[in-house]
Amino acid sequence: DLATATLDVEPVDWRAVLDEILGTADTTDLRTETEEAARAEKTEALETLYRSRISVLMGGAGTGKTTVVSAFLDGLEQVSGRHSKLLLAPTGKARVRLEEVTAGAGGEVEAKTIHQFLMQHGWLEGGAFRLRDEGDETGGAQTVIVDEASMIPMDLMATLLRALDLNRVKRLVFVGDPNQLPPIGPGRPFFDMIQWMEEEASERVAELEQRVRYRSEAGSARDLAEVYAGETPELDDEILSQIALGEGGVDLDVRFWDDIDGLFEELGQLLTETITDDGTQVGDLISAFDNSVGYDSSDENIEWWQILSPTNIDQYGTQAINRRIQQQFRGDRQNDSGIAAIGDEQFVPGDKVIHTQNDTVYSPYSDSWEYVANGEIGVVSDTFSDDNSLHVRYPAKEFPLSYNS
């Protein structure tokens, strides 16, 4: 039985691997004994993942799941040398994050969305992206890690397990937080998996409970997030009082507005402060904006800043905010007769866009169709009036992709 199988492996000093990544204990704001308990917990989790063919790594936000995954990949590389690894996530956003946090861990590692993996091996129906009962082939790697597993619905999980070549897979690790909201689709297979394994193969379940905050991650913003998540009720009054007094700290700037004009005034000022030290000259400000979204610079800047709203509509929704930001920073291009402004949104070069569904998109540069996952962020690189189209450059793609309005 794969779920209960134990691997016969060479011993690994996982504590040493972990300490090499984390450094000395004074890099956290925890007491020594708490820090020691957190590292001991992670060391035990690493041993569980190492000795299990199928395992679960679970824990809430801030417990160090990502740290364990990075240490796990490093340790495997040290003991096994170069071996195949496959990192999977259910969304494009999660895939990008997974690839970022594991960069450099265990050599070169490429993360994919689950849909990308399924499409690669023929388990998705053409442009409709319907899951198939049978695919063209199975695939996988010696080590497969599935992140954000709590977001995966039953039908997608079942197809993924059929698409994996389990004879090739030596270790299959599911990572997630069972207390997150259930998947949008049917079922909650990650939660059910944990329940079954805790009853039948509890030694294959690694749970992280110690919440660790490293000094590089500490700050009022994270404190506030923990208050809203209900994780630190003892801090509620303290944090909210500090915010009301304007004492947000170095990473949290709270601003208040009374009407829609006040909102956009504060938002424009804050964005200007964010992207440039001196925005007094319009030309400099536009260049700084281009740089901040990765238009004239490295794609690494593409997610430097985000603007989030709880709604799409209304005066303070994402649509209105997008239009106002475009007017402020893209108005000259939209009004330039030599530049094609495309579609109802009047897209022009330098606009940052987000892909909102799993789909394949054509690239005229490579004459091929590329899979783009829901949530991937790109920048409009060019627009064309003759066919009312635009090209978008995504960090993970070699060539820009073409869209028609």
Side-chain angles (χ1 to χ4, degrees):
D1 186 13
L2 290 176
T4 59
T6 299
L7 296 171
D8 184 14
V9 291
E10 295 293 326
V12 175
D13 187 348
W14 288 109
R15 179 56 187 262
V17 174
L18 192 63
D19 287 344
E20 184 177 347
I21 291 177
L22 297 179
T24 59
D26 63 5
T27 57
T28 75
D29 288 326
L30 300 178
R31 296 187 305 273
T32 302
E33 61 270 23
T34 308
E35 167 67 13
E36 174 58 33
R39 295 200 181 198
E41 179 182 69
K42 290 180 178 61
T43 301
E44 184 177 349
L46 285 164
E47 188 68 23
T48 296
L49 271 53
Y50 181 53
R51 294 189 174 276
S52 306
R53 282 210 63 189
I54 297 181
S55 58
V56 166
L57 174 63
M58 64 177 181
T63 56
K65 297 187 297 294
T66 298
T67 300
V68 169
V69 170
S70 295
F72 185 55
L73 295 174
D74 270 345
L76 288 179
E77 191 79 3
Q78 292 176 23
V79 71
S80 304
R82 290 199 172 275
H83 67 291
S84 57
K85 298 170 285 290
L86 175 63
L87 308 184
L88 298 173
T91 67
K93 196 77 171 175
R95 179 202 66 78
V96 171
R97 175 61 179 162
L98 181 61
E99 196 166 65
E100 288 175 348
V101 298
T102 57
E108 293 294 326
V109 181
E110 180 185 4
K112 299 179 180 179
T113 66
I114 295 174
H115 285 84
Q116 282 176 313
F117 172 75
L118 295 178
M119 176 172 287
Q120 179 183 357
H121 297 285
W123 290 82
L124 285 179
E125 289 281 1
F129 293 100
R130 287 191 298 268
L131 300 171
R132 299 176 60 185
D133 293 332
E134 295 183 1
D136 296 336
E137 60 181 5
T138 56
Q142 290 172 285
T143 299
V144 178
I145 296 176
V146 183
D147 197 20
E148 298 289 358
S150 61
M151 299 174 62
I152 305 174
M154 183 67 74
D155 53 353
L156 184 59
M157 180 72 81
T159 305
L160 172 62
L161 291 176
R162 287 196 298 269
L164 285 171
D165 181 358
L166 295 179
N167 291 319
R168 179 184 176 189
V169 176
K170 186 175 183 179
R171 294 181 181 86
L172 175 58
V173 183
F174 292 93
V175 183
D177 180 359
N179 295 317
Q180 284 186 338
L181 291 173
I184 296 176
R188 46 178 189 172
F190 183 61
F191 181 83
D192 294 338
M193 182 190 306
I194 291 172
Q195 280 199 319
W196 183 89
M197 292 186 73
E198 285 183 332
E199 293 177 1
E200 303 293 336
S202 59
E203 68 278 8
R204 306 292 170 243
V205 178
E207 182 174 8
L208 302 179
E209 299 178 311
Q210 296 287 338
R211 299 181 65 255
V212 179
R213 176 179 305 164
Y214 293 91
R215 291 198 178 118
S216 62
E217 302 173 344
S220 301
R222 182 158 178 169
D223 288 339
L224 181 62
E226 291 166 359
V227 166
Y228 276 103
E231 297 173 351
T232 54
E234 71 279 2
L235 294 178
D236 287 15
D237 292 339
E238 177 186 347
I239 298 300
L240 295 177
S241 296
Q242 288 177 352
I243 291 172
L245 294 172
E247 300 173 355
V250 297
D251 66 339
L252 180 64
D253 183 3
V254 178
R255 305 194 183 194
F256 301 92
W257 47 279
D258 296 319
D259 53 35
I260 195 64
D261 290 333
L263 166 63
F264 286 121
E265 181 179 352
E266 290 289 346
L267 188 58
Q269 181 180 343
L270 180 59
L271 185 53
T272 299
E273 293 171 1
T274 299
I275 65 177
T276 182
D277 293 328
D278 182 7
T280 56
Q281 297 183 29
V282 174
D284 291 341
L285 183 57
I286 300 303
S287 296
F289 188 88
D290 285 342
N291 182 68
S292 75
V293 298
Y295 177 52
D296 289 334
S297 60
S298 170
D299 288 331
E300 294 177 358
N301 285 356
I302 202 167
E303 295 194 51
W304 180 13
W305 55 267
Q306 307 285 342
I307 300 176
L308 305 180
S309 171
T311 178
N312 273 328
I313 57 176
D314 295 327
Q315 291 180 304
Y316 49 81
T318 56
Q319 295 176 14
I321 292 174
N322 278 333
R323 283 194 293 270
R324 186 64 68 97
I325 296 300
Q326 274 190 311
Q327 290 171 7
Q328 181 175 357
F329 295 98
R330 295 289 180 251
D332 288 347
R333 291 180 190 171
Q334 289 178 327
N335 296 324
D336 188 334
S337 59
I339 298 177
I342 303 301
D344 295 337
E345 299 295 337
Q346 295 291 281
F347 290 116
V348 293
D351 275 337
K352 183 160 68 170
V353 295
I354 184 169
H355 202 78
T356 56
Q357 65 181 24
N358 296 319
D359 203 354
T360 53
V361 184
Y362 180 70
S363 172
Y365 298 90
S366 61
D367 191 24
S368 63
W369 292 83
E370 296 282 345
Y371 176 83
V372 186
N374 179 21
E376 289 199 52
I377 294 177
V379 175
V380 177
S381 59
D382 212 343
T383 57
F384 305 91
S385 58
D386 54 346
D387 60 355
N388 214 31
S389 68
L390 56 86
H391 291 175
V392 176
R393 189 181 74 245
Y394 293 97
K397 310 301 179 188
E398 184 177 0
F399 300 104
L401 305 181
S402 178
Y403 294 82
N404 290 89
S405 66

